[in-house]
Amino acid sequence: MLSLRGIAAAASIVAAEGTALLARRDHGPDDIRPDLPGPAPSPAEQARRLRDQAIVACAAQDLATCGAKLDEARSLDPAGEAEPRVIAARKLLAPVEAPSNLPGPKPVEPQPPLEPPLEPPLKPPG
């Protein structure tokens, strides 16, 4: 189970990465370039872009998008899971992905339906 200190450290790493990525995304009007055809990005490059998007989502507390983007990136490039920023984001997502680790009441298991009694009910006297 992650400690509060571990979660806080992961959150600060993810927030710093997200802020850096957002800062790099901000371009002025002079930076607009036409889309030129070129080679398709490799799976590793696609995964890197997905991880960038995931880190931005984590920093914005959009944990569902963060987890989905990280999972998609992992399917393209499993080795990228070893990146420190990915490890930090996964730590941040751990309580969300494993709710059984959270304090509080546990989900109730569904019970089988009750069987009807084997003998007919008694009728009240008449």
Side-chain angles (χ1 to χ4, degrees):
M1 186 145 110
L2 290 174
S3 68
L4 230 39
R5 181 176 285 160
I7 292 172
S12 66
I13 290 170
V14 169
E17 277 285 327
T19 302
L21 288 170
L22 284 173
R24 281 186 275 177
R25 263 187 13 184
D26 292 337
H27 301 292
D30 297 334
D31 290 336
I32 297 173
R33 290 175 235 132
D35 290 333
L36 300 175
S42 68
E45 176 61 22
Q46 292 174 6
R48 186 194 60 76
R49 290 178 184 168
L50 286 166
R51 288 185 178 105
D52 289 347
Q53 294 169 6
I55 298 303
V56 170
C58 278
Q61 296 298 307
D62 182 358
L63 301 183
T65 300
C66 178
K69 296 282 185 184
L70 286 177
D71 290 345
E72 190 178 349
R74 179 175 50 202
S75 72
L76 294 169
D77 177 34
E81 289 289 300
E83 291 180 27
R85 66 188 187 143
V86 175
I87 293 169
R90 292 279 185 201
K91 283 182 183 177
L92 185 66
L93 292 171
V96 176
E97 292 175 346
S100 62
N101 293 337
L102 297 176
K106 303 295 181 215
V108 177
E109 293 291 323
Q111 299 296 318
L114 295 174
E115 294 184 25
L118 296 177
E119 51 192 57
L122 296 176
K123 292 185 180 179

